[in-house]
Amino acid sequence: MEKSKVLIIGATGRLGYHLAQFSLQFGHPTYILIRDSSLNDPNKAQKLDFLSTAGAIPLKGSLEDENSLTEAVKQVDVVICSIPSKQALDQKLLLKVIKESGCIKKFIPSEFGVDPSKIQIYNLARRFYAGKTEIRRLIEAEDIPYTYICCNLFMGYLLPSLAQPGLKAPPRDKVTIFGDGNAKAVFVKDVDIAACTINAIDDPRTLNKTLYLRPQGNVYSINELVAMWENKIGRELKKIHVPEEELLLKIKESSYPDNLEMIFIYSAFVKGDHTYFDIDECGVDGTKLYPHLKFTTVSEHLDTLV
């Protein structure tokens, strides 16, 4: 089967770079939309040079420029957008262009996180998830073929601190347990998210579906994370228990976005927003669709932090 031609928006970002690499590796003709300003950033310029050398076709343009978007979109079959979540609404013009082009057989919007339709604390996190929710509504209202990728948390976020607000590394003396500590969160490495996403491009099983990632070795509660970490460092940590009501009060007393880290902890490790539902009733499970993919486990990631 002929490989779909792919346009990646955000290819100089952390996830977008891996998406472009895997798209090329898997044999897709790969186009990357680049701003002129990217060429002035040494880090981004280096990534662009590597991708171009590997075969990616750079197209100058931006999400604010309709003409450049139109020229880019008409050359491909699939569009993947990996801009930051806070910029989700910047995809509106892109949706207009995709709809008018009529040539796109799948759009993968900038999601790559927790499923906004499954958030049990939506009102508390509305300002973060509202943009993604609006983009979903526009996609579906315009009958644009899509796949939503919901991987929950990147492995580089919250996991390195064992979900301890303000810390950048795992604690070695004391640790805070939120709620009863038993709700499970999901962490996936960005490179693994990218590999799974590219596998889904030409897979009809993912068309107009939400694809969830919940690898077996990547689903842990705070209690389980702490026990694993204690075993790795050979030391027992002092446990400080913070009831749900106390964490909720701290969130409400803090302003957005300063309280976002605590909101994510509350969502994942108290309410269990990553794992309370059955994937098969809501979408498709990427780990079942692509059993050949190996996901970096939580334990393997923590080994690098010992």
Side-chain angles (χ1 to χ4, degrees), residues 127-145:
R127 294 177 66 178
F128 183 80
Y129 291 108
K132 289 184 177 183
T133 300
E134 183 174 345
I135 291 299
R136 279 193 177 195
R137 288 173 179 164
L138 289 172
I139 289 170
E140 293 165 22
E142 295 293 344
D143 290 322
I144 293 172

Side-chain angles (χ1 to χ4, degrees), residues 110-129:
S110 183
E111 291 241 352
F112 305 108
V114 182
D115 184 346
S117 72
K118 297 301 179 188
I119 295 293
Q120 301 173 92
I121 59 164
Y122 188 82
N123 287 337
L124 197 62
R126 179 185 299 275
R127 294 177 66 178
F128 183 80
Y129 291 108

Side-chain angles (χ1 to χ4, degrees), residues 145-194:
Y146 67 86
T147 298
Y148 303 140
I149 308 292
C150 293
C151 55
N152 297 297
L153 291 173
F154 281 31
M155 203 163 268
Y157 185 73
L158 290 186
L159 181 59
S161 69
L162 297 191
Q164 303 299 293
L167 294 188
K168 301 300 181 184
R172 293 180 179 270
D173 49 1
K174 59 183 179 181
V175 65
T176 301
I177 307 294
F178 298 99
D180 62 13
N182 293 324
K184 295 179 184 287
V186 181
F187 298 91
V188 187
K189 195 168 184 178
D190 47 9
V191 67
D192 299 334
I193 298 165

Side-chain angles (χ1 to χ4, degrees), residues 6-291:
V6 181
L7 171 66
I8 296 174
I9 299 171
T12 58
R14 180 177 57 181
L15 177 61
Y17 183 63
H18 292 308
L19 287 166
Q21 286 181 305
F22 277 110
S23 181
L24 290 164
Q25 182 180 320
F26 292 175
H28 292 278
T30 303
Y31 298 74
I32 53 177
L33 192 71
I34 60 172
R35 294 173 172 269
D36 287 331
S37 59
S38 297
L39 301 175
N40 299 322
D41 182 314
N43 183 48
K44 291 181 178 181
Q46 184 179 31
K47 289 181 177 180
L48 291 172
D49 183 62
F50 179 89
L51 292 174
S52 297
T53 301
I57 302 168
L59 301 172
K60 288 190 177 182
S62 75
L63 288 173
E64 296 81 34
D65 182 351
E66 185 170 355
N67 289 334
S68 67
L69 287 177
T70 300
E71 285 300 310
V73 166
K74 72 181 184 181
Q75 299 184 59
V76 301
D77 310 300
V78 173
V79 177
I80 305 175
C81 191
S82 64
I83 61 175
S85 296
K86 63 183 179 181
Q87 299 173 18
L89 292 178
D90 290 350
Q91 298 171 104
K92 281 187 173 183
L93 182 58
L94 175 62
L95 293 182
K96 176 178 179 290
V97 169
I98 288 174
K99 177 65 176 179
E100 292 176 352
S101 74
C103 65
I104 298 304
K105 65 180 186 181
K106 183 175 288 184
F107 175 49
I108 300 178
S110 183
E111 291 241 352
F112 305 108
V114 182
D115 184 346
S117 72
K118 297 301 179 188
I119 295 293
Q120 301 173 92
I121 59 164
Y122 188 82
N123 287 337
L124 197 62
R126 179 185 299 275
R127 294 177 66 178
F128 183 80
Y129 291 108
K132 289 184 177 183
T133 300
E134 183 174 345
I135 291 299
R136 279 193 177 195
R137 288 173 179 164
L138 289 172
I139 289 170
E140 293 165 22
E142 295 293 344
D143 290 322
I144 293 172
Y146 67 86
T147 298
Y148 303 140
I149 308 292
C150 293
C151 55
N152 297 297
L153 291 173
F154 281 31
M155 203 163 268
Y157 185 73
L158 290 186
L159 181 59
S161 69
L162 297 191
Q164 303 299 293
L167 294 188
K168 301 300 181 184
R172 293 180 179 270
D173 49 1
K174 59 183 179 181
V175 65
T176 301
I177 307 294
F178 298 99
D180 62 13
N182 293 324
K184 295 179 184 287
V186 181
F187 298 91
V188 187
K189 195 168 184 178
D190 47 9
V191 67
D192 299 334
I193 298 165
C196 191
T197 299
I198 301 303
N199 269 269
I201 285 177
D202 287 327
D203 188 346
R205 297 173 296 177
T206 66
L207 183 61
N208 296 334
K209 298 283 181 64
T210 300
L211 185 152
Y212 296 95
L213 293 180
R214 200 184 288 176
Q216 187 174 1
N218 300 56
V219 184
Y220 285 91
S221 67
I222 284 188
N223 286 336
E224 291 169 333
L225 287 176
V226 170
M228 181 188 296
W229 181 244
E230 288 176 327
N231 183 61
K232 290 182 183 297
I233 64 174
R235 182 186 310 163
E236 185 174 351
L237 304 181
K238 178 183 177 182
K239 316 296 190 301
I240 301 170
H241 292 269
V242 173
E244 175 179 349
E245 297 75 15
E246 185 178 334
L247 176 59
L248 189 56
L249 182 62
K250 288 182 178 180
I251 291 172
K252 291 180 177 179
E253 288 178 343
S254 304
S255 59
Y256 182 91
D258 294 340
N259 60 2
L260 200 51
E261 186 177 41
M262 289 189 291
I263 288 174
F264 288 150
I265 290 171
Y266 182 58
S267 170
F269 289 106
V270 178
K271 304 304 290 184
D273 283 342
H274 299 182
T275 54
Y276 75 89
F277 58 92
D278 185 340
I279 289 177
D280 293 334
E281 295 178 0
C282 310
V284 292
D285 187 335
T287 57
K288 293 180 180 178
L289 293 183
Y290 314 117

